[in-house]
Amino acid sequence: MRNRLTATLLTAALGLPLAPAAAHAQAGGDRCDPRARLARMTDAEKVGQLVMAVTHDGPDGMPNEQTRQAIQDLKIGSVITSEPRTPELAARYSNRVQRWAAGTRLGLPLLVSGDFEFGTTHNVREGTTPLPNAMGLGAARDPRLARDAARLTAAEARAMGFHWNYAPVADVNTNPANPIIGVRSFGERTGLVRDLVATQVRAYRDAGIVATPKHFPGHGDTRNDSHLDLPAVEYDRATLERVHLPPFRAAVDAGAEAIMTAHVVVRAIDPDLPATLSPKVLTGLLRREMGFRGLIVTDGMDMDAIDKNWGTREATVMAVKAGADVVMSTGEHQTQVDAVDALLDAVRSGELPRRRVDESVLRVLSLKCANVGNRYVSPALAERVAGNAAFRRRAAELGRAATTLVKNEGGVLPFDPRDAGRTLVAGVTQTERLADAVDAVASGPVTSWQAATTDPTDAEIAEAVRRAEDADRVVVATYSSGPLPAGQARLVNALLATGRPVAAVATGLPYDYASYPRVKAYVASYATTARTQRINLTMHRATAEVLFGRRPGGRLPVTIAGHFPFGHGLTYEG
């Protein structure tokens, strides 16, 4: 089995088609029979399969004693890892938790999962291949590129021992003020999102990775972050059907094996409960109306949208009763204990029927049979596959295809890479990384300046202006995950007033331009997500290359109201 998987991953590294998921059948030719396994399980073993636990680490970066307890004592069936630093460490990490699982009475393998929305870099930050965020792939407008992004992610994930990816994001970002989805969405048009979601679901499945379109039935029109509050959407059923459900319907048709719920109240379906806890949404809409037969997993149950309103114990039981198969327990170890205990108490009291539990356990076991063959992986192979030169080259191509030249009046861009003039890169987040990328393509010296917060003060702006007066050109990078802070707009306008050639780069949402429309050169990179602000070196490098003459390929996947339409994008002559 390991040789077969090795061949699959090395083939992927060479840019050839991946082997199908069927290649990951059980090691040694053993037949995996979910029903036979179910028949042997105790109530405690069953409810453990319905909980996914985030792992916790010791000082050495490996899973700690609490993680062992979750696997061996609570009998959990799946984990989401706590972000091991490198591919080699991730592979050893996966092997460690799988060995603990092998030591349980039934020896069932774990499903090991991660958030890999823009490649495995999303969770394994060093030595992996960063890819464009979904909105960047939406800007690239090519299903083949979205497919390649999924295939590349899958190859790295499998090499490190992961089976399950919480992507693609199927939300249609119709609300520019959405504080949590933003560049994680492919765009504002249903058709674009639908097609790219279906493409990636097929690509992941062919590569032996469980794709998880999220957040059902749609998180794209919210004004609140469900990590902090309980959002609700007010649109009618017709809007839900026309705008937000088609990407999920396409995912089901494409063979999605799992779907993640949204902690969002969709009033057109259930005015009282968020989707995660609503039988009307999960059982009524997703199961009965849409015919989804795969696994339903909740978003993190420690998010304030759920935890503050219902608490771990009540919400865990409510979610399973509503139709969820796996509850994502992303909090401290005690929350995992509470989740398992709550389910076991509900089964023993009769509040949660055993038939309902068996339905979900069977889905979990079936997913394991289909996707977990030899549970162990080679750390050395993980190091060779993740971040290999072929993957980095393809990622660079994807990055340039995503980068969007939105405005270029007066020929400000491209800057001449042979010009030995001085470049200032100013911004509010990740500025030094962008400056490093500029330094790699510019002939002259490059300096950087960054404000202390995302809302620069007047004194900070004055310092940026002073530094710009010593430069021959300025790159100013703005970042927003919603409305742009006023200080950033003042920063851009103050730098424009110096008379130096200025190019503005939106590193987060592309709507920033509306706050400083006098800028003559404007590029959207879609590089930085809300909340986590993960560093995406591929997109920083692509942005720098476009600023200095490489041809951009992106077109806006959203509308910048009053300024630029959906689909707008410029390029360079020649």
Side-chain angles (χ1 to χ4, degrees), residues 144-187:
R144 293 172 299 178
L145 302 184
R147 178 202 63 199
D148 286 355
R151 293 169 64 224
L152 192 157
T153 300
E156 292 193 350
R158 289 290 314 194
M160 291 184 280
F162 294 96
H163 317 100
W164 194 350
N165 182 14
Y166 300 122
V169 173
D171 303 312
V172 183
N173 200 66
T174 56
N175 186 346
N178 191 323
I180 188 58
I181 301 303
V183 299
R184 301 166 67 198
S185 165
F186 290 113

Side-chain angles (χ1 to χ4, degrees), residues 214-218 245 248 259-262 275 281-282 285-286 290:
K214 62 185 183 185
H215 308 79
F216 184 83
L245 285 184
F248 292 100
I259 286 178
M260 181 182 285
T261 68
V281 174
L282 301 189
L285 177 59
L286 183 53
M290 296 176 58

Side-chain angles (χ1 to χ4, degrees), residues 352-424:
L352 191 57
R354 282 185 171 83
R355 183 177 64 180
R356 170 71 198 89
V357 171
D358 287 353
E359 290 173 356
S360 289
V361 175
L362 193 58
R363 291 190 186 103
V364 174
L365 297 177
S366 296
L367 202 64
K368 291 183 178 186
C369 285
N371 292 279
V372 184
N374 187 334
R375 72 180 80 195
Y376 303 113
V377 293
S378 163
L381 178 62
E383 282 285 302
R384 291 199 300 273
V385 170
N388 71 75
F391 284 7
R392 293 197 305 271
R393 286 194 297 270
R394 187 56 174 153
E397 294 167 355
L398 296 179
R400 291 189 292 271
T403 304
T404 307
L405 179 60
V406 180
K407 185 178 182 180
N408 191 25
E409 287 185 359
V412 173
L413 294 175
F415 296 137
D416 187 348
R418 298 163 298 181
D419 185 341
R422 295 161 296 182
T423 305
L424 171 68

Side-chain angles (χ1 to χ4, degrees), residues 317-559:
V317 175
M318 288 177 67
V320 176
K321 288 172 70 174
D325 301 302
V326 170
V327 174
M328 185 184 290
S329 182
T330 47
E332 296 301 319
H333 179 68
Q334 186 57 47
T335 66
Q336 300 163 10
V337 174
D338 291 343
V340 170
D341 285 351
L343 289 172
L344 191 56
D345 288 348
V347 169
R348 289 171 174 168
S349 71
E351 178 185 2
L352 191 57
R354 282 185 171 83
R355 183 177 64 180
R356 170 71 198 89
V357 171
D358 287 353
E359 290 173 356
S360 289
V361 175
L362 193 58
R363 291 190 186 103
V364 174
L365 297 177
S366 296
L367 202 64
K368 291 183 178 186
C369 285
N371 292 279
V372 184
N374 187 334
R375 72 180 80 195
Y376 303 113
V377 293
S378 163
L381 178 62
E383 282 285 302
R384 291 199 300 273
V385 170
N388 71 75
F391 284 7
R392 293 197 305 271
R393 286 194 297 270
R394 187 56 174 153
E397 294 167 355
L398 296 179
R400 291 189 292 271
T403 304
T404 307
L405 179 60
V406 180
K407 185 178 182 180
N408 191 25
E409 287 185 359
V412 173
L413 294 175
F415 296 137
D416 187 348
R418 298 163 298 181
D419 185 341
R422 295 161 296 182
T423 305
L424 171 68
V425 180
V428 298
T429 184
Q430 299 184 24
T431 310
E432 188 173 346
R433 297 304 184 103
L434 179 57
D436 288 343
V438 170
D439 191 46
V441 295
S443 296
V446 177
T447 58
S448 65
W449 171 90
Q450 181 170 306
T453 71
T454 57
D455 194 7
T457 65
D458 289 342
E460 287 178 315
I461 292 170
E463 173 63 16
V465 167
R466 186 187 69 76
R467 297 195 184 198
E469 289 171 348
D470 292 330
D472 297 294
R473 64 180 74 89
V474 176
V475 176
V476 54
T478 59
Y479 166 75
S480 68
S481 58
L484 186 73
Q488 291 191 54
R490 294 199 307 273
L491 171 65
V492 175
N493 289 326
L495 292 171
L496 286 172
T498 66
R500 303 295 190 273
V502 174
V505 176
T507 62
L509 291 170
Y511 311 111
D512 293 0
Y513 174 84
S515 297
Y516 48 80
R518 291 195 296 112
V519 73
K520 292 184 177 181
Y522 182 65
V523 172
S525 73
Y526 322 100
T528 307
T529 59
R531 289 181 59 82
T532 54
Q533 296 187 22
R534 303 298 171 91
I535 294 171
N536 192 321
L537 292 179
T538 290
M539 293 313 301
H540 288 331
R541 290 166 181 158
T543 299
E545 291 174 357
V546 166
L547 291 171
F548 282 82
R550 294 295 294 265
R551 296 185 68 177
R555 291 179 287 154
L556 286 173
V558 296
T559 301

Side-chain angles (χ1 to χ4, degrees), residues 41-316:
M41 297 175 76
T42 65
D43 286 343
E45 288 167 334
K46 289 178 181 179
V47 300
Q49 295 297 303
L50 307 189
V51 176
M52 171 182 293
V54 66
T55 59
H56 297 100
D57 300 346
D60 59 352
M62 292 290 282
N64 66 7
E65 174 63 13
Q66 287 185 331
T67 300
R68 185 202 63 76
Q69 291 171 6
I71 294 167
Q72 295 193 328
D73 298 343
L74 301 181
K75 304 171 180 61
I76 61 156
S78 51
V79 295
I80 178 169
T81 62
S82 63
E83 304 190 5
R85 186 171 51 85
T86 67
E88 187 270 344
L89 180 61
R92 289 195 291 114
Y93 200 107
S94 171
N95 289 343
R96 173 76 59 83
V97 296
Q98 292 288 12
R99 280 195 294 272
W100 284 337
T104 60
R105 185 180 76 91
L106 295 178
L108 299 176
L110 293 170
L111 286 166
V112 181
S113 67
D115 260 320
F116 303 137
E117 293 177 17
F118 54 92
T120 58
T121 296
H122 193 151
N123 277 179
V124 184
R125 301 194 188 189
E126 297 179 20
T128 48
T129 308
L131 298 168
N133 276 298
M135 193 170 282
L137 294 175
R141 284 293 197 291
D142 189 340
R144 293 172 299 178
L145 302 184
R147 178 202 63 199
D148 286 355
R151 293 169 64 224
L152 192 157
T153 300
E156 292 193 350
R158 289 290 314 194
M160 291 184 280
F162 294 96
H163 317 100
W164 194 350
N165 182 14
Y166 300 122
V169 173
D171 303 312
V172 183
N173 200 66
T174 56
N175 186 346
N178 191 323
I180 188 58
I181 301 303
V183 299
R184 301 166 67 198
S185 165
F186 290 113
E188 71 179 19
R189 296 286 180 91
T190 299
L192 175 66
V193 177
R194 177 197 62 214
D195 293 348
L196 296 185
V197 165
T199 294
Q200 289 209 319
V201 166
R202 292 189 187 97
Y204 278 122
R205 186 164 187 176
D206 288 346
I209 284 286
V210 177
T212 314
K214 62 185 183 185
H215 308 79
F216 184 83
H219 207 321
D221 192 24
T222 56
R223 289 185 175 273
N224 302 93
D225 179 352
S226 51
H227 293 84
L228 307 173
D229 210 345
L230 178 59
V233 289
E234 307 292 342
Y235 48 68
D236 59 18
R237 178 64 187 258
T239 301
L240 175 66
E241 290 284 351
R242 184 181 71 255
V243 177
H244 299 283
L245 285 184
F248 292 100
R249 293 190 188 279
V252 173
D253 291 343
E257 296 173 280
I259 286 178
M260 181 182 285
T261 68
H263 299 333
V264 175
V265 176
V266 182
R267 298 203 192 281
I269 304 295
D270 189 335
D272 301 314
L273 293 172
T276 297
L277 308 181
S278 172
K280 295 177 182 177
V281 174
L282 301 189
T283 299
L285 177 59
L286 183 53
R287 290 277 188 224
R288 293 175 184 159
E289 293 186 37
M290 296 176 58
F292 180 61
R293 296 186 178 182
L295 186 145
I296 299 174
V297 58
T298 73
D299 206 344
M301 296 293 276
D302 69 321
M303 292 163 61
D304 286 350
I306 300 297
D307 190 47
K308 280 187 176 180
N309 292 283
W310 289 275
T312 297
R313 292 184 63 89
E314 181 179 5
T316 297

